[in-house]
């Protein structure tokens, strides 16, 4: 029997460092509400505080934790603060942190079924659970023609959807001969920038991506989509991909999937639905209207790492027919061949995305879903939606503000009536205060604030304080402007 | 002052769940040496043990940990076992696990500098440290024209290199108009499958990827590369990318970078060097010969999550000129605009890879480098190389075996003399024993075993036991065959 001295030492060290790190995080979560949400540091402040050269000798973990407090923490924008309302939430939770820790400790590579069967099979089951939890189309279940996989981000999932659509439209000729088929793709002018990035990466070319017009509520116009497809086909183009959005980044608009799906069906074009943040809302039956028509989609993604209390990265990507995805992405060199894969009886998730290596990310989902239960998760999402609607009511009571997009789910888009400069100044003043952090966009050409309620620890008081601070700073700006 | 009840509760819960998870991992690392390395489960065994439906109500964390032991652990192939010798190591370490935990706890999104300056700036400093630690070319430093970024995998880094090469060769026309330029790319027939995958993803097409022949030591033949490029150019092709390998997957062969670099320079073709596992060896001055000629490369990657004691994911990707990469990948929608980015004084790492979102991965590198010191890391790598060379000497003393590739660094390629079937049977018998795990490849058409020494806790005893087990099982197979 071999000595296992190093394993025993490591076991001790895991205990020592791990407990110290847990205590640090515990203190961090408690004090996060009182820290300035947006880091006040200037460029290179952190860099200047760090040694130019790596240490030759070992340093104690206590020294690292001290530097974490003194050098790193001031440079953190606190996504785990209950006063964080910018962009989208990156909400996390104690069970997720613990689940991710277990994944780090096990340290398995889930590239093949054989390299840790449990990594693949727990992921299959978690993605099937989510089909039930969100009442997604049944063909996304692993027991049917489709299935789901965890990817790092909706950007990557969108890319994989583009690739699958590209290959289906060209009968896998693009993989073989390259992209010179006059391929065209479609998304709304409100879609996330990752759609354009995916089109570029896939070699289809930005000029072959049609940014379809939206209606007054920022939803893709189906008739404009149909017209663009017809025009491209008349010109000899090969439409291969439509990217619809459930919950656009700027305005939380929900594209009309039923009409879009019918058009895609008519022309046999791959329909992908990106519900990065909004998808989580479907935990609540009363909010499942967001997915009306989703059964017409070929693929779908949403991010548990945005609004489902699971830390990054955890994008769930589903396809209607798994073979269409894997045939677009698989390559099997000799060194990855194994009996289980050759038998065809197992799933090798490496063929479901670009990277070969993959972390055991299903563990954190398992911990989150079990620790809260579906009812618990549902209650947390409902609470965020309720807080958002309260905020909207308060806004409506103050005549200085206008609401720029219909406030659905957990996002409010608003601005000060009048020129953009006032709203921009308001945002800068608010974010500089350190007491909250929100971000902006442009809607109908106007500078617009986005307040998104989704941080795990946000309570009614934080939203109320945010509103009062917004009112107060708007008043101060108006005074200063006189 | 808002109440922060949820943050306080979460702080308590982090402590409770976190400490329990740390204790679980500590026990796991200690018992890992005695667990069957390759999971003995059959397909669907784990699935069958998991509930079909998600729980409605919350469950205690203790129930999850119990299931982790009873249902998940039997389905784990133990990459953290000192008896793990397959594929490549996914070696980890206590400081890395603790660093990753801190990253989970902070839960920041590092997509932009502004969304957590420390996330970007610690990453810049760590990648600069690694230039010094590995004595990489000076132009990879952030203070010069280039810089480094952490990606999830070498597969993704290879893709980004292909994209940068594609754009440079077409003056950014592929991003705009798509890939119809007669682009061609080159790599050796021993390169990792992710090169072919990247070429397909990028829309260049497999038939436009030339798999260049190798010499008797499995190294790319520069004269064959030059001939292929000349031929393509004569035919009107546009060579855009050469992917060289330092440490091929099958045989740890090192392509001759100086000659390849000269050819790329002559034709102005992007040269990318993939040193996924082998790169770490350059921590040791006496092993830096592997990088001879690397100063001619446009980009380079190696994986700290393979052999540098840092858990997945942590690929370090460097470019000579950062603008060439970011111009190929950047898109800035209004909602991501901010003063810091617009000033041009900061780095936004979202423009250095495909995903928008990004985890604070530099924390674990910081913990690893400081906890061991450069000398400590160097000693660990040297130890693995020494153990590998010992194993080779033992093999040479047993006339039944032949060594199929020159054993360099930490990989041995060997087989039983005679037909493939004997070596294949030997592998199956060894892996089924649960006492070690190794994998295979084909070299010169022959079924070949790969034994890779790189797991953090592997000691001389484990390598010796592996050799004795191999001898014993070879003898038993020979007995059975009589």
């Amino acid at each position: 029997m071999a000595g296992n001295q190093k394993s025993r030492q490591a076991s001790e060290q895991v205990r020592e460092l791990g407990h110290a790190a847990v205590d640090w995080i515990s203190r961090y979560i408690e004090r996060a509400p009182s820290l300035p949400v947006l880091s006040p540091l200037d460029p290179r402040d952190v860099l200047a505080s760090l040694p130019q050269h790596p240490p030759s000798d070992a340093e104690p973990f206590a020294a690292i934790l001290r530097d974490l407090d003194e050098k790193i923490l001031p440079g953190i924008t606190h996504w785990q603060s209950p006063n964080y309302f910018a962009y989208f939430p990156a909400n996390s939770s104690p069970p997720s942190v613990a689940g991710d820790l277990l994944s780090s400790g096990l340290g398995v590579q889930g590239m093949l079924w054989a390299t840790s069967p449990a990594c693949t099979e727990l992921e299959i089951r978690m993605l099937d659970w989510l089909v039930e939890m969100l009442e997604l189309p049944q063909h996304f279940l692993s027991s049917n023609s489709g299935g789901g996989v965890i990817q790092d981000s909706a950007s990557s999932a969108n890319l994989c959807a583009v690739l699958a659509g590209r290959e289906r439209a060209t009968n896998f000729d693009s993989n073989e001969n390259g992209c010179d088929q006059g391929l065209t793709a479609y998304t709304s002018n409100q879609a996330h920038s990752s759609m354009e990035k995916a089109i570029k990466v896939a070699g289809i070319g930005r000029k072959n991506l049609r940014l379809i017009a939206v209606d007054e509520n920022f939803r893709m116009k189906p008739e404009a989509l149909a017209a663009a497809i017809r025009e491209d086909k008349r010109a000899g183009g090969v439409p291969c991909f439509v990217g619809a959005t459930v919950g656009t980044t700027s305005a939380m608009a929900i594209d009309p999937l039923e009409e879009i799906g019918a058009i895609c069906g008519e022309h046999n074009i791959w329909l992908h639905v990106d519900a990065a943040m909004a998808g989580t809302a479907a935990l609540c039956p009363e909010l499942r209207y967001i997915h009306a028509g989703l059964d017409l989609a070929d693929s779908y993604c949403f991010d548990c790492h945005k609004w489902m209390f699971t830390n990054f990265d955890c994008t769930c990507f589903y396809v209607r027919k798994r073979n269409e995805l894997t045939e677009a992405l698989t390559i099997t060199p000799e060194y990855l061949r194994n009996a289980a894969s050759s038998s065809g009886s197992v799933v090798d998730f490496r063929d479901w995305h670009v990277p070969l290596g993959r972390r055991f990310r299903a563990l954190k989902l398992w911990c989150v879903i079990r620790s809260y239960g579906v009812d618990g998760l549902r209650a947390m999402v409902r609470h965020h939606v309720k807080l958002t609607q309260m905020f909207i009511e308060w806004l409506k009571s103050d005549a200085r503000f206008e609401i720029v997009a219909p406030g659905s789910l957990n996002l409010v888009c608003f601005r000060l009536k009048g020129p953009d400069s006032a709203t921009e100044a308001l945002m800068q003043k608010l974010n500089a205060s350190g007491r909250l952090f929100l971000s902006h966009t442009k809607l109908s050409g106007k500078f617009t604030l986005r307040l998104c309620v989704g941080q795990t620890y946000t309570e009614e008081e934080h939203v109320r304080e945010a509103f009062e601070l917004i009112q107060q700073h708007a008043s101060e700006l108006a005074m200063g402007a006189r």
Side-chain angles (χ1 to χ4, degrees), chain A residues 24-158:
Chain A
W24 190 93
I25 296 168
S26 173
R27 284 195 308 277
Y28 170 69
I29 295 293
E30 187 167 13
R31 64 189 159 145
S34 63
L35 298 172
V37 193
L38 179 67
S39 168
L41 295 197
D42 287 325
R44 306 190 70 80
D45 278 354
V46 175
L47 260 179
S49 77
L50 299 168
Q52 286 268 342
H53 304 285
S56 295
D57 299 327
E59 298 182 67
F61 196 62
I64 298 173
L65 288 181
R66 193 175 58 237
D67 285 346
L68 184 61
D69 273 315
E70 295 175 2
K71 298 175 177 175
I72 302 299
L73 210 55
I76 294 295
T77 292
H78 300 286
W79 291 68
Q80 303 312 318
S81 164
N83 302 307
Y84 180 96
F85 302 103
Y87 306 107
F88 48 84
N91 72 13
S92 179
S93 63
S96 174
V97 170
D100 208 23
L101 169 56
L102 292 170
S103 166
S104 296
L106 282 169
V108 304
Q109 263 293 356
M111 58 189 187
L112 300 169
W113 177 88
T115 61
S116 269
C119 178
T120 295
E121 296 194 1
L122 185 65
E123 188 161 329
I124 290 173
R125 184 51 48 91
M126 289 307 101
L127 279 275
D128 280 348
W129 278 10
L130 284 165
V131 169
E132 179 176 337
M133 291 164 68
L134 272 61
E135 207 179 23
L136 299 176
Q138 292 290 300
H139 49 244
F140 287 161
L141 285 173
S142 68
S143 51
N144 291 332
S145 60
V149 64
I150 301 177
Q151 299 220 356
D152 64 349
S153 65
S155 299
S156 298
N158 291 349

Side-chain angles (χ1 to χ4, degrees), chain A residues 353-415:
Chain A
H353 48 47
V354 171
L356 173 60
R358 59 197 330 270
R359 190 172 161 89
F360 194 172
R361 292 175 288 204
L363 269 181
K364 60 189 175 194
L365 259 182
W366 195 47
C367 290
V368 167
I369 296 171
R370 295 184 64 179
S371 294
Y372 292 105
V374 178
D375 288 346
L377 294 171
R378 199 171 274 161
M380 288 153 75
V381 167
R382 278 194 183 122
H383 187 60
H384 287 148
V385 174
K386 187 182 127 205
L387 294 179
T388 311
Q389 300 310 313
M390 287 173 53
F391 184 91
I392 291 174
E393 291 309 310
W394 298 333
L395 263 185
K396 285 180 179 166
S397 71
D398 188 329
R400 293 174 295 178
F401 296 100
E402 59 179 324
I403 294 172
V404 185
S408 76
L409 305 182
N410 66 334
L411 180 70
V412 192
C413 297
F414 66 104
R415 65 192 300 281

Side-chain angles (χ1 to χ4, degrees), chain A residues 46 80 136 148 234 443 453 470:
Chain A
V46 175
Q80 303 312 318
L136 299 176
R234 263 199 306 272
L443 285 171
V453 181
I470 290 166

Side-chain angles (χ1 to χ4, degrees), chain A residues 162 164-166 169 183-186 204 238-242 268-271:
Chain A
V162 166
R166 187 189 78 179
L183 292 167
T184 55
Y186 310 82
I204 293 171
V238 180
C240 70
F241 177 83
V242 173
N268 192 27
I269 306 174
W270 188 282
L271 172 58

Side-chain angles (χ1 to χ4, degrees), chain A residues 246-402:
Chain A
V246 167
T248 57
T249 307
S250 285
M252 191 57 96
I254 294 164
D255 287 339
L257 301 185
E258 288 178 354
E259 291 92 327
I260 293 170
I263 295 164
C264 291
E266 184 189 337
H267 296 281
N268 192 27
I269 306 174
W270 188 282
L271 172 58
H272 174 64
V273 175
D274 176 354
M277 176 162 71
T280 297
L283 282 169
C284 308
E286 72 277 17
L287 299 175
R288 286 183 187 151
Y289 66 86
I290 63 171
H291 284 154
L294 183 59
D295 52 315
L296 300 172
D298 293 290
S299 57
Y300 168 81
C301 71
F302 85 104
D303 294 341
C304 295
H305 61 244
K306 283 201 168 81
W307 196 16
M308 218 186 88
F309 315 100
T310 307
N311 55 313
F312 189 86
D313 46 358
C314 196
T315 292
C316 296
F317 176 55
Y318 290 93
V319 287
R320 170 194 290 268
K321 296 182 181 169
R322 55 183 171 268
N323 289 351
E324 293 183 336
L325 177 67
T326 57
E327 283 175 29
L329 292 174
T330 192
I331 296 165
T332 301
E334 182 64 31
Y335 48 79
L336 295 179
R337 286 189 201 281
N338 63 84
S341 297
S342 302
S343 74
S345 61
V346 301
V347 166
D348 290 325
F349 274 133
R350 71 180 182 96
D351 295 330
W352 294 56
H353 48 47
V354 171
L356 173 60
R358 59 197 330 270
R359 190 172 161 89
F360 194 172
R361 292 175 288 204
L363 269 181
K364 60 189 175 194
L365 259 182
W366 195 47
C367 290
V368 167
I369 296 171
R370 295 184 64 179
S371 294
Y372 292 105
V374 178
D375 288 346
L377 294 171
R378 199 171 274 161
M380 288 153 75
V381 167
R382 278 194 183 122
H383 187 60
H384 287 148
V385 174
K386 187 182 127 205
L387 294 179
T388 311
Q389 300 310 313
M390 287 173 53
F391 184 91
I392 291 174
E393 291 309 310
W394 298 333
L395 263 185
K396 285 180 179 166
S397 71
D398 188 329
R400 293 174 295 178
F401 296 100
E402 59 179 324

